[in-house]
Amino acid sequence: QVQLVESGGGSVQAGGSMRLACAASGYTYSNICMGWFRQRPGKEREGVAAVHIGGRFAYYANSVKGRFTISQDTAKNTLYLQMNSLKPEDTGMYYCAADLSSGGCSGLEAVLFGDWGQGTQVTVSS
């Protein structure tokens, strides 16, 4: 059974940093795409970053480029999102997701990802 468990959310002041982690289990953690999404208050769920597990290429939303970094630890089956220079508009529920079917990343559209974690809340205060 596929399981994705996020951790690391919380509250931080604007300009601060936070690192999210997503522990994956229940499937082979290689040659798949994993990503981070968020749902901000009153907005649709949006892609933040995605990476090909076992590869190097990563996608980022324009709104987070230069501030957020997605990374992976294949030995621990864990995906990370390092968030720096946080802004109040980064506040939202952050979700980890996996696309097991394509053998790589095709983009940041939520419909491409079939497995989701329960989410972790990130709150950035001004």
Side-chain angles (χ1 to χ4, degrees), residues 22-121:
C22 172
S25 62
Y27 55 89
T28 301
Y29 193 75
S30 66
N31 201 30
I32 60 172
C33 184
M34 292 196 68
W36 288 97
F37 292 77
R38 68 185 179 188
Q39 188 156 16
R40 296 182 285 177
K43 295 188 179 294
E44 298 283 323
R45 189 173 296 189
E46 61 181 345
V48 174
V51 67
H52 179 202
I53 300 300
R56 296 184 178 182
F57 191 77
Y59 294 84
Y60 291 94
N62 288 335
S63 58
V64 306
K65 279 181 183 176
R67 299 189 299 123
F68 290 12
T69 302
I70 190 170
S71 63
Q72 53 185 294
D73 185 335
T74 53
K76 295 181 179 180
N77 286 7
T78 301
L79 183 74
Y80 300 99
L81 185 68
Q82 177 67 43
M83 304 184 292
N84 298 328
S85 302
L86 282 160
K87 305 175 182 179
E89 52 264 42
D90 293 318
T91 293
M93 186 70 79
Y94 282 69
Y95 299 89
C96 173
D99 171 10
L100 307 182
S101 62
S102 61
C105 290
S106 302
L108 281 172
E109 292 75 28
V111 295
L112 298 173
F113 293 78
D115 294 282
W116 294 82
Q118 82 289 349
T120 185
Q121 178 67 35

